């Protein structure tokens, strides 16, 4: 596995750049497809590097939200890659190997949802290649799980941002009324 990204003040510019790629991917997913589909613009998101992003202990309280966006975005990008492989009835041993290693990674044992989705990816890739992969037993399970990933991570990001915006507006309004 690649070296995982550790978010420190020195690496914050890389974090910011990767988040911009993730947000573009989320935008493409919501605007063009309403979920996972073929050829989502995810290419610059290095899921192998960012899936297990850690935060420097000294700055954890400042950057944990950014690290979570990196981890979730990396997971979504992996899903996009797997969907493209399945849509094209292709397999890539390095992707399959990465998923297999990730399922057994110690950190994933604390993330049962992600582990289940990874297992569904692996099972769908185990089926014979077919461009109608969603109609196959494991493919249909993966399609349903990816819909959950979309709701939880992509739409969840927008809901979180909306909540942050609304709470900021409410607090701004309260400060405005102090006169």
């Amino acid at each position: 596995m690649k070296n995982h990204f550790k978010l420190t003040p020195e690496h914050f510019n890389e974090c910011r750049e990767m988040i911009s790629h993730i947000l573009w991917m989320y935008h493409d997913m919501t605007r063009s497809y309403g979920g996972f589909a073929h050829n989502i613009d995810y290419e610059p998101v290095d899921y192998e590097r960012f899936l297990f992003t850690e935060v420097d202990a000294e700055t954890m309280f400042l950057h944990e939200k950014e690290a979570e966006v990196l981890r979730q975005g990396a997971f979504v990008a992996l899903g996009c890659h797997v969907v493209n492989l399945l849509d094209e009835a292709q397999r890539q041993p390095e992707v399959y190997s990465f998923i297999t290693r990730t399922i057994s990674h110690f950190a994933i044992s604390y993330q049962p949802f992600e582990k289940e989705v990874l297992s569904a990816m692996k099972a769908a890739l185990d089926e014979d290649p077919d461009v109608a992969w969603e109609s196959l037993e494991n493919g249909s399970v993966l399609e349903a799980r990816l819909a959950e990933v979309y709701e939880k991570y992509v739409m969840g990001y927008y809901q979180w941002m909306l909540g942050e915006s609304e709470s900021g507006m409410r607090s701004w309004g309260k400060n405005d009324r102090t006169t």
Side-chain angles (χ1 to χ4, degrees):
M1 279 192 159
K2 286 185 178 180
N3 289 335
H4 300 296
F5 183 72
K6 187 163 189 171
L7 180 51
T8 64
E10 296 81 29
H11 295 111
F12 197 76
N13 285 338
E14 186 179 2
C15 164
R16 186 180 358 209
E17 182 179 341
M18 189 54 53
I19 287 176
S20 72
H21 294 303
I22 289 167
L23 295 181
W24 179 255
M25 175 180 63
Y26 286 5
H27 172 77
D28 192 30
M29 293 178 84
T30 57
R31 177 100 187 210
S32 301
Y33 302 100
F36 284 86
H38 193 70
N39 286 336
I40 300 284
D41 194 2
Y42 73 94
E43 292 297 330
V45 179
D46 185 353
Y47 56 82
E48 288 190 50
R49 182 151 189 247
F50 290 94
L51 187 62
F52 294 110
T53 294
E54 297 175 12
V55 182
D56 181 73
E58 294 177 18
T59 60
M60 182 175 272
F61 69 97
L62 292 174
H63 302 303
E64 185 55 40
K65 289 179 181 178
E66 288 83 0
E68 191 61 28
V69 171
L70 291 172
R71 289 187 287 264
Q72 291 178 6
F75 195 74
V76 171
L78 175 60
C80 290
H81 194 155
V82 169
V83 166
N84 281 352
L85 291 173
L86 293 168
D87 279 350
E88 296 169 5
Q90 295 182 5
R91 302 298 185 263
Q92 289 180 343
E94 60 276 4
V95 174
Y96 186 85
S97 177
F98 174 75
I99 291 169
T100 302
R101 288 189 319 270
T102 303
I103 289 170
S104 61
H105 192 278
F106 75 92
I108 210 73
S109 63
Y110 300 106
Q111 302 170 330
F113 172 74
E114 290 80 359
K115 188 171 186 171
E116 290 172 13
V117 175
L118 288 164
S119 295
M121 288 179 190
K122 183 178 180 297
L125 289 168
D126 282 337
E127 290 180 316
D128 289 332
D130 189 330
V131 292
W133 63 271
E134 304 98 327
S135 65
L136 301 175
E137 181 180 351
N138 294 322
S140 65
V141 170
L142 176 59
E143 183 179 40
R145 296 315 309 249
L146 289 176
E148 293 176 59
V149 169
Y150 177 75
E151 287 299 318
K152 183 175 182 173
Y153 290 160
V154 179
M155 297 309 292
Y157 172 79
Y158 289 117
Q159 290 167 349
W160 171 68
M161 288 304 295
L162 183 60
E164 289 281 310
S165 174
E166 288 175 353
S167 69
M169 292 299 287
R170 283 193 297 272
S171 66
W172 179 76
K174 288 179 185 177
N175 291 339
D176 198 36
R177 292 186 215 134
T178 57
T179 55

